[in-house]
């Protein structure tokens, strides 16, 4: 059971950084500690990949953490909206249209926020390292997902009746 919980927490953490419609720390018991650990690992990964000087790191991380919190708030709003739409209730066309409108408005907010923070990152660490920052963030997300999939392939949940991931 503990292995299943750890695997679930790892997946939730990985998806946190890669997709706006999955659970976060407020949705899973004990997830806050795992999320903090994953964020610390992400910071260490990015710092080592980009080779920040101590001055660059001191300037970057407060801005990055602010960006990350704002992004997570937008993604939480998106998850809440999708939950409302998926609760098994048939939606009218008007309701579905409103949800689609809100979804697109949220995506536009996220893009505007990313543009604004990209400008701040460029002023803080330069354009080349800003591109490297976003690449390192994507690489970290891929690595976490890879580890999760590897764990699933090497054991996963083998209970009878549990669907297994197919290739």
């Amino acid at each position: 059971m503990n292995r299943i919980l750890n695997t679930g927490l790892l997946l939730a953490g990985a998806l946190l950084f890669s997709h706006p419609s999955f659970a976060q720390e407020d949705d899973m018991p004990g997830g806050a500690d795992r999320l903090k650990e994953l964020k610390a690992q992400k910071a260490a990964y990015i710092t080592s990949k980009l080779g920040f000087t101590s001055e660059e790191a001191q300037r970057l991380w407060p801005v990055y953490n602010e960006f990350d919190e704002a992004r997570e708030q937008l993604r939480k709003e998106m998850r809440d909206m999708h939950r409302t739409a998926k609760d098994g209730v048939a939606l009218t066309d008007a309701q579905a249209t409103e949800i689609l409108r809100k979804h697109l408005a949220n995506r536009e907010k996220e893009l505007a926020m990313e543009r604004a923070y990209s400008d701040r990152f460029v002023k803080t660490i330069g354009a080349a390292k800003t591109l490297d920052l976003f690449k390192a963030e994507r690489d970290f997300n891929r690595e976490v997902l890879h580890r999760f999939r590897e764990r699933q392939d090497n054991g996963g949940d083998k209970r009878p009746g549990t669907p297994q991931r197919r290739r």
Side-chain angles (χ1 to χ4, degrees):
M1 180 67 182
N2 197 16
R3 182 179 180 163
I4 295 168
L5 181 60
N6 286 341
T7 302
L9 292 176
L10 180 61
L11 174 62
L15 294 173
L16 153 77
F17 298 114
S18 63
H19 196 280
S21 64
F22 287 90
Q24 302 292 321
E25 66 187 78
D26 57 337
D27 299 341
M28 53 187 175
D33 290 339
R34 180 65 184 127
L35 184 62
K36 285 180 186 176
E37 180 184 328
L38 196 59
K39 284 187 177 196
Q41 290 173 0
K42 181 180 179 182
Y45 179 90
I46 290 172
T47 299
S48 85
K49 281 284 189 187
L50 273 59
F52 289 134
T53 65
S54 60
E55 295 82 24
E56 287 173 326
Q58 280 183 324
R59 289 190 320 259
L60 172 71
W61 289 113
V63 176
Y64 183 85
N65 290 335
E66 185 182 308
F67 167 69
D68 198 42
E69 287 176 30
R71 180 172 53 185
E72 286 313 308
Q73 181 58 39
L74 283 174
R75 289 178 176 180
K76 182 183 183 317
E77 290 171 18
M78 186 81 83
R79 282 191 313 279
D80 291 345
M81 182 180 51
H82 284 279
R83 268 192 211 112
T84 302
K86 288 194 317 187
D87 283 343
V89 177
L91 299 174
T92 66
D93 274 350
Q95 291 169 321
T97 299
E98 181 63 14
I99 289 171
L100 287 170
R101 186 195 64 73
K102 287 180 180 178
H103 171 82
L104 292 172
N106 190 294
R107 299 265 316 266
E108 288 171 349
K109 281 186 211 173
E110 190 172 10
L111 181 59
M113 183 191 66
E114 191 170 324
R115 280 188 180 119
Y117 276 96
S118 288
D119 290 344
R120 290 179 66 186
F121 293 145
V122 168
K123 290 176 185 171
T124 303
I125 59 173
K129 281 197 176 179
T130 297
L131 282 175
D132 292 343
L133 169 69
F134 290 130
K135 181 183 182 311
E137 189 177 44
R138 283 189 312 273
D139 291 347
F140 177 81
N141 294 340
R142 280 190 202 109
E143 179 64 27
V144 170
L145 283 172
H146 173 75
R147 284 190 222 160
F148 170 75
R149 288 181 181 139
E150 202 171 73
R151 286 175 125 191
Q152 289 295 80
D153 290 344
N154 292 332
D157 190 350
K158 301 280 189 191
R159 292 177 297 161
T162 305
Q164 300 297 311
R165 189 172 76 84
R166 294 180 187 203
R167 293 185 176 223

